[in-house]
Amino acid sequence: MTTQDKVYIKNKKAYFEYHILDKYVAGIQLLGTEIKSIREGKANINDAFCTFINNQLFVRNLHISEYSYGSFYNHEAKRDRVLLLTKKELKKLLTRGEEKGLTIVPLALFISERGFAKLEIGLAQGKKTFDKRETLKERDTKVEMDRAMKR
């Protein structure tokens, strides 16, 4: 197992704050130092979100730390990055994303088998506060059940 197989950065906050309706896997247009930083696991997608600009899907606030061995060719940590999807998927996301209450959120960042960086995005609907409390209760009961099973 190589290091590129182990990189899987998950956005736990997205699963807590949103109901995920649809999932897509998109490629990301990156610079050389960015992919090297991702392979080291130095990325954060907790504050990231997706938006359409000129019929292209961009991910914003995706923090990829500067590459430690990079010189003056290093990249900006938080810049807008183009997501690579098929035209059919982009059109579907554009029409569904305009519906009231729906948004596109990044769920996970990983390296594919071929060595490319991929971003799993989801079409999501915001949860209400009582839904969040319900999620916490379900998680607590699951933990208690696991503890009871171990005894």
Side-chain angles (χ1 to χ4, degrees):
M1 193 177 222
T2 61
T3 55
Q4 67 187 28
D5 295 333
K6 297 176 185 174
V7 176
Y8 192 82
I9 301 163
K10 197 172 178 184
N11 188 357
K12 293 179 183 176
K13 193 168 111 178
Y15 287 100
F16 180 70
E17 293 187 357
Y18 298 99
H19 290 290
I20 309 301
L21 306 175
D22 251 346
K23 289 184 182 179
Y24 298 93
V25 176
I28 315 173
Q29 190 174 344
L30 296 172
L31 300 174
T33 53
E34 288 176 327
I35 187 67
K36 290 176 183 181
S37 287
I38 289 174
R39 285 190 179 126
E40 288 181 348
K42 297 188 174 163
N44 183 0
I45 61 171
N46 287 342
D47 299 329
F49 62 96
C50 300
T51 183
F52 277 95
I53 302 170
N54 297 331
N55 290 332
Q56 280 190 315
L57 188 61
F58 283 84
V59 63
R60 301 185 108 169
N61 285 351
L62 172 63
H63 185 275
I64 300 175
S65 299
E66 289 190 353
Y67 184 54
S68 54
Y69 300 108
S71 59
F72 56 90
Y73 290 114
N74 237 330
H75 62 275
E76 289 180 48
K78 281 192 177 187
R79 69 174 185 90
D80 296 349
R81 295 168 178 91
V82 179
L83 292 180
L84 308 171
L85 288 162
T86 62
K87 285 184 181 179
K88 185 179 177 182
E89 290 173 327
L90 282 172
K91 188 176 179 186
K92 189 174 182 181
L93 280 171
L94 184 61
T95 54
R96 298 267 325 262
E98 289 173 349
E99 291 178 23
K100 188 173 187 282
L102 293 183
T103 186
I104 304 165
V105 292
L107 303 173
L109 178 66
F110 62 95
I111 303 290
S112 71
E113 293 171 10
R114 293 179 56 199
F116 297 121
K118 300 286 184 177
L119 187 70
E120 185 180 11
I121 57 174
L123 190 65
Q125 187 174 29
K127 284 185 182 178
K128 305 282 189 257
T129 52
F130 63 85
D131 289 335
K132 292 178 188 177
R133 285 194 295 259
E134 212 172 273
T135 305
L136 287 173
K137 283 180 190 174
E138 287 173 9
R139 192 180 308 146
D140 289 343
T141 55
K142 185 177 181 249
V143 167
E144 287 176 22
M145 290 287 287
D146 290 342
R147 284 183 189 153
M149 296 294 272
K150 286 183 181 178
R151 290 182 192 160

